[in-house]
């Protein structure tokens, strides 16, 4: 079946602009996650959704970052007033329930110039 | 001390070699252990998922967990050039925060024909 999909695959934006990243999880997966992968760094947890609720937003780096999930499916990660340090690959993952192995999408490569 | 330590490599082996990849961790609450494979410019792909101590085999891949030593391993037998990728270990505990995976930084493996 279809895996996790993300769009856009690449995004180049100017410093100070807002960006929206989209994630379509595997159908039926109730848990959805956003991670960030920076050059030379491991995967950094950003936020976790169970259904449409986000019980843990503790990984969001600042209040410029927000995320929502609607219909228990699609999620968007929004970064306002982007900064150069936001440049990274943003990975979305889903799982049937929390705590099981995560299935990742291909990621969105964000470059802030 | 980081929660999860993983030798970044790079590791270069000839085709057909047995590859050993390892991670150590410090959090004794970790109970679920995963290995992901990540090809260049792709999202991580779940390879192995194990619970607590012991071995798990899947084709050419064997995952080992030694909770007493806080040490996990992934063995690849008869390695192939298509195994060339970055391998990430990941782990989490049970209970309320079981959704949050902690990743190693990854080991870059090259299998030479």
């Amino acid at each position: 079946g279809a895996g996790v999909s993300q769009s856009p695959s690449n995004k180049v934006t100017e410093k100070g602009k807002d960006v929206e990243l989209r994630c379509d999880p595997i159908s039926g997966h109730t848990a959805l996650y956003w991670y960030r992968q920076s050059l030379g760094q491991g995967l950094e947890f950003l936020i976790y959704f169970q259904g449409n609720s986000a019980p843990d937003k503790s990984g969001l780096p600042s209040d410029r970052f927000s995320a929502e999930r609607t219909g228990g499916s699609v999620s968007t990660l929004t970064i306002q007033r982007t900064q150069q340090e936001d440049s990274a690959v943003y990975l979305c993952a889903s799982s049937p329930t929390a705590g099981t192995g995560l299935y990742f999408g291909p990621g969105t490569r964000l470059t802030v110039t | 001390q980081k929660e999860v330590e993983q030798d970044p490599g790079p590791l270069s082996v000839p085709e057909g070699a047995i590859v050993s990849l390892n991670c150590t961790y410090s959090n004794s609450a970790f109970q679920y252990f995963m290995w992901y494979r990540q090809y260049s410019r792709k999202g991580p792909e779940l390879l192995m998922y194990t619970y607590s101590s012991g071995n798990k085999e899947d084709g050419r891949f064997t995952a080992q967990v030694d909770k007493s030593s806080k040490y996990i391993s992934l063995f690849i037998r008869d390695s192939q050039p298509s195994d060339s990728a970055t391998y990430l270990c990941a782990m989490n505990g049970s209970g309320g925060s079981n959704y949050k995976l902690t990743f190693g930084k990854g080991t870059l493996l090259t299998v030479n024909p």
Side-chain angles (χ1 to χ4, degrees):
Chain A
V4 177
S5 61
Q6 292 185 247
S7 61
S9 55
N10 284 282
K11 177 72 176 178
V12 180
T13 190
E14 291 181 354
K15 178 181 171 182
K17 301 280 191 185
D18 298 351
V19 295
E20 268 193 7
L21 313 179
R22 177 187 168 106
C23 171
D24 279 275
I26 293 172
S27 178
H29 282 193
T30 61
L32 184 147
Y33 317 77
W34 286 96
Y35 280 78
R36 179 167 73 173
Q37 189 173 33
S38 304
L39 193 63
Q41 301 296 316
L43 273 77
E44 174 190 11
F45 169 83
L46 298 178
I47 188 169
Y48 154 67
F49 286 92
Q50 182 60 247
N52 292 335
S53 301
D56 188 349
K57 306 178 183 179
S58 64
L60 295 177
S62 74
D63 58 8
R64 295 186 295 104
F65 288 72
S66 63
E68 65 174 11
R69 188 180 186 194
T70 55
S73 181
V74 172
S75 176
T76 55
L77 176 69
T78 302
I79 309 173
Q80 295 178 309
R81 305 182 302 283
T82 52
Q83 303 294 312
Q84 286 187 327
E85 61 262 28
D86 299 334
S87 295
V89 177
Y90 289 82
L91 291 159
C92 176
S94 68
S95 64
T97 57
T100 57
L102 273 57
Y103 295 85
F104 282 88
T108 294
R109 185 173 298 272
L110 175 67
T111 304
V112 182
T113 61
Chain B
Q1 181 187 11
K2 294 190 187 304
E3 274 197 300
V4 179
E5 299 274 6
Q6 184 175 9
D7 186 338
L11 185 60
S12 182
V13 302
E15 184 175 354
I18 296 174
V19 176
S20 172
L21 304 165
N22 312 292
C23 287
T24 59
Y25 63 95
S26 58
N27 188 344
S28 58
F30 288 145
Q31 294 192 45
Y32 298 89
F33 304 90
M34 285 141 270
W35 285 94
Y36 285 83
R37 177 174 63 195
Q38 187 173 24
Y39 292 114
S40 181
R41 293 187 170 261
K42 301 288 186 185
E45 170 194 9
L46 180 64
L47 272 182
M48 302 286 282
Y49 179 83
T50 55
Y51 170 70
S52 197
S53 287
N55 293 359
K56 184 174 182 179
E57 188 173 320
D58 185 0
R60 296 184 295 110
F61 298 90
T62 299
Q64 282 187 354
V65 175
D66 182 348
K67 289 192 70 181
S68 62
S69 301
K70 296 189 180 66
Y71 187 86
I72 68 170
S73 301
L74 178 70
F75 297 95
I76 307 174
R77 291 183 299 281
D78 187 25
S79 55
Q80 302 295 309
S82 58
D83 296 328
S84 299
T86 297
Y87 289 80
L88 301 157
C89 64
M91 50 200 77
N92 63 346
S94 60
S97 62
N98 65 343
Y99 53 85
K100 190 182 292 187
L101 296 188
T102 301
F103 284 84
K105 288 192 177 182
T107 300
L108 178 61
L109 170 67
T110 301
V111 180
N112 301 299

